[in-house]
C-alpha cells in the first residue's frame, strides 16, 4: 500500500475554511469532527491560532528543542512557525490544506502547499516538526515504513523529528486497569475522521495515534532511535526520532 501524496481540493477543506474565517473575521463557526469510532466532537478554531504562552507544555518543549532549518509539517494556521520566528528560528511551514496555506501566506509566511509524502517537497532539514498529535499524518500503521524512509530523505545529517502523540489505550481500559483490545483487529490507535465546517464537508481520512512502545519498535526496525523527551498530562508524549 502506498501513501497518499495529494493535497485537498478547496471545496473539501473544512479546517482550512474555518481557519480562513477566523483569520479574516476573528470568529468562526463550529469545526465538527466525526469518526466511526467516537462520538461527534469539535475542534475549537481559536485554539488553532494559539500563541507560545497558550501552547501545551509538550509543544513549547518541542519549539525549544527545534533548531537549524525546521520543517513544520501540517502547519495549519502557521502558529508554530510564527512562534519559532519570534524565537529567531528558521522554519518552513507545509500543509495539504489550500485555504490554510492561503492564510499562512497572508500572515507573512512562505508556506508550501504540498503533501509530506510528495517527493516535490525536497530539502535537508535539521528538525522535522509534527505537532498536535503529529503522528496522525502517518495515517495508518502500515504506512510507518514509508514514513521513516521519507524522514531519511528529508533529514540533514544529525537532524531529528520532533513529534507528539497519544496512547489511546485509556479508551479500552476496564475499570480494573486491564486492557481489552482485540489483538487480531487493526492497531487500536488507528482512527478514521471526517470534518465539517458550515456546509464544507471533507473526505474521510486516517489519523494514527501511536503509543511510545510501538513507535520505538518500528523506529529501530527502520534504523531510527526513539526517545521520549517529555510526557504530557494525559497519555500524550513528545518523541524525538534520530537516525542511528
Ligand atoms: N500543526 C497545526 C495543525 C494541526 S491539524 C497545529 O498544531 O495547530 C493537522 C494538519 O495537518 C492539517 O492542517 C492538515 O491539513 C495537515 N496534514 C494532514 N496530512 C498531511 C500531509 N500528508 N502532509 C502535510 N500536511 C498534512
Amino acid at each position: 500500500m502506498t501513501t497518499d501524496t495529494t493535497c485537498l481540493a478547496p471545496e473539501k477543506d473544512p479546517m482550512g475554511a474555518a481557519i480562513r474565517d477566523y483569520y479574516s473575521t476573528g470568529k468562526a463557526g463550529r469545526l465538527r469532527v466525526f469518526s466511526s469510532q467516537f462520538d461527534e466532537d469539535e475542534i475549537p478554531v481559536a485554539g488553532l491560532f494559539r500563541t507560545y504562552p497558550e501552547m501545551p507544555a509538550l509543544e513549547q518543549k518541542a519549539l525549544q528543542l527545534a533548531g537549524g532549518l525546521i520543517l513544520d509539517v501540517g502547519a495549519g494556521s502557521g502558529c508554530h512557525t510564527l512562534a519559532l520566528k519570534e524565537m529567531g528560528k528558521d522554519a518552513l511551514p507545509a500543509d495539504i490544506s489550500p485555504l490554510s496555506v492561503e492564510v499562512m501566506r497572508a500572515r507573512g509566511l512562505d508556506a508550501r502547499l504540498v503533501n509530506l509524502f510528495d517527493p516535490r517537497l525536497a530539502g535537508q532539514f535539521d528538525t522535522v516538526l509534527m505537532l498536535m498529535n503529529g503522528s496522525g499524518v502517518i495515517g495508518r500503521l502500515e504506512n510507518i515504513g514509508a514514513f521513516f524512509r521519507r524522514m531519511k530523505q528529508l533529514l540533514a545529517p544529525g537532524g531529528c523529528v520532533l513529534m507528539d502523540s497519544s496512547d489511546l489505550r485509556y479508551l479500552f481500559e476496564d475499570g480494573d486497569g486491564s486492557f481489552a483490545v482485540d489483538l487480531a483487529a487493526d492497531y487500536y490507535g488507528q482512527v478514521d475522521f471526517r470534518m465539517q465546517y458550515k456546509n464544507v464537508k471533507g473526505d474521510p481520512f486516517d489519523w494514527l495515534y501511536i503509543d511510545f512502545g510501538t513507535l520505538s519498535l518500528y523506529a529501530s526496525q527502520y534504523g531510527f532511535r526513539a526517545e521520549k523527551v517529555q510526557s504530557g498530562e494525559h497519555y500524550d508524549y513528545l518523541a524525538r526520532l534520530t537516525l542511528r
Side-chain angles (χ1 to χ4, degrees):
M1 168 155 177
T2 53
T3 42
D4 178 26
T5 59
T6 56
C7 288
L8 303 176
E11 67 277 10
K12 288 193 170 181
D13 182 8
M15 184 186 268
I19 284 178
R20 186 174 61 181
D21 259 9
Y22 190 86
Y23 179 70
S24 52
T25 68
K27 53 187 193 321
R30 298 196 310 137
L31 178 55
R32 301 166 70 191
V33 182
F34 306 91
S35 167
S36 70
Q37 291 134 293
F38 306 114
D39 292 338
E40 183 180 337
D41 202 357
E42 239 175 75
I43 298 182
V45 181
L48 296 172
F49 286 80
R50 60 203 180 279
T51 59
Y52 185 87
E54 296 163 344
M55 289 174 189
L58 287 185
E59 294 186 2
Q60 294 179 342
K61 180 73 181 178
L63 299 189
Q64 286 160 21
L65 292 174
L69 182 57
I70 302 160
L71 177 64
D72 182 2
V73 176
S77 77
C79 58
H80 296 113
T81 292
L82 284 165
L84 288 163
K85 295 229 172 224
E86 274 185 30
M87 295 162 88
K89 301 185 183 188
D90 193 9
L92 175 72
D95 207 292
I96 56 171
S97 154
L99 303 180
S100 300
V101 166
E102 191 181 300
V103 168
M104 287 194 272
R105 289 180 181 156
R107 299 179 92 188
L109 300 175
D110 182 18
R112 296 276 314 271
L113 177 60
V114 70
N115 190 307
L116 173 65
F117 293 98
D118 184 336
R120 282 175 293 185
L121 173 61
Q124 293 276 289
F125 298 93
D126 301 292
T127 308
V128 174
L129 201 61
M130 301 172 71
L131 293 179
M132 196 170 146
N133 194 65
S135 64
V137 168
I138 302 168
R140 300 179 62 81
L141 203 50
E142 67 218 52
N143 295 339
I144 204 160
F147 167 73
F148 281 113
R149 282 191 291 277
R150 190 71 185 117
M151 291 303 108
K152 280 183 189 163
Q153 294 170 343
L154 289 171
L155 284 175
C160 72
V161 180
L162 293 169
M163 168 200 282
D164 64 347
S165 195
S166 279
D167 183 352
L168 291 193
R169 66 178 297 140
Y170 62 88
L171 296 172
F172 305 96
E173 263 166 6
D174 296 335
D176 62 3
S178 69
F179 185 40
V181 49
D182 178 1
L183 292 174
D186 280 347
Y187 174 62
Y188 64 86
Q190 277 175 190
V191 176
D192 62 85
F193 283 129
R194 196 167 56 72
M195 290 198 274
Q196 180 172 349
Y197 178 74
K198 295 183 175 168
N199 57 357
V200 184
K201 291 182 184 170
D203 286 332
F205 60 93
D206 296 315
W207 198 247
L208 180 69
Y209 293 79
I210 189 166
D211 67 282
F212 182 72
T214 304
L215 178 66
S216 335
L217 215 63
Y218 281 101
S220 59
Q221 187 178 328
Y222 291 99
F224 280 79
R225 192 163 74 95
E227 287 162 82
K228 190 187 273 190
V229 175
Q230 194 169 307
S231 294
E233 285 171 9
H234 191 66
Y235 295 85
D236 51 334
Y237 65 91
L238 175 67
R240 174 166 42 207
L241 306 170
T242 43
L243 265 166
R244 282 177 183 278

